[in-house]
Amino acid sequence: IGVVSGRCVVAMLGSCWRINYLPNENDASIVRGDAVSPISTSDGVANARAACTFSMPGMGEVIALAGASGIFVTDGLTLEPIGDGLDWTSIVGSPPNVSNITALINEPGTKTLRLLLATGDEYCMSYARKHRTRFGGKWTGPNAKRWNTRIPSGAAAVRLASGIHAPFYCYAS
């Protein structure tokens, strides 16, 4: 669940929805279908850590989602692919194994999205204006495995007191 451009978005494994309004006890005329609208009924998110918000030049604030069929962005109205140049089948397997997707994090200081996989691989997309393409940004990867023997189970970009954002990785015990 996330909010982008004032729109509440709920993404699940196989779909993505916009919440138009939440009815209350005084709303006597709830019309089925008005409360939610589908953004996509075929693409969604792998898990709660596989989505993040960021501001892409030319698109404004969006939510990035990594799921079974690729990496997408939504503004709460449409869902667009940003995985141009990625061989998604080689990343998640065939049939897709979304449990391979550990996290998708945004590092606003470097204008980078990082896709972390359970295999230890990492893919990065630069969304800086100079790397912007019609379908997202410049992807690199798989990057060298950054993990010694333990693979992270989650990650987040945290703003430090100095103002820069640094990635922090979480490990299961």
Side-chain angles (χ1 to χ4, degrees), residues 123-145:
Y123 290 81
C124 297
M125 183 191 87
S126 169
Y127 58 89
R129 191 169 299 279
K130 66 182 179 180
H131 292 139
R132 182 83 168 87
T133 67
R134 182 172 169 232
F135 299 105
K138 179 181 178 183
W139 283 96
T140 59
N143 297 325
K145 296 179 181 180

Side-chain angles (χ1 to χ4, degrees), residues 18 29 64 82 90 104 114-115 117 134 148 151 164:
R18 177 180 56 257
S29 60
I82 61 167
S90 71
L104 182 65
R114 294 184 183 277
L115 174 66
L117 303 177
R134 182 172 169 232
N148 294 327
I151 296 171
I164 65 168

Side-chain angles (χ1 to χ4, degrees), residues 1-14:
I1 298 175
V3 176
V4 61
S5 301
R7 298 178 190 100
C8 181
V9 175
V10 176
M12 295 170 275
L13 187 58

Side-chain angles (χ1 to χ4, degrees), residues 80-102:
E80 301 293 333
I82 61 167
D84 190 34
L86 291 177
D87 180 2
W88 198 248
T89 303
S90 71
I91 294 172
V92 296
S94 179
N97 181 2
V98 293
S99 64
N100 282 339
I101 300 170
T102 300

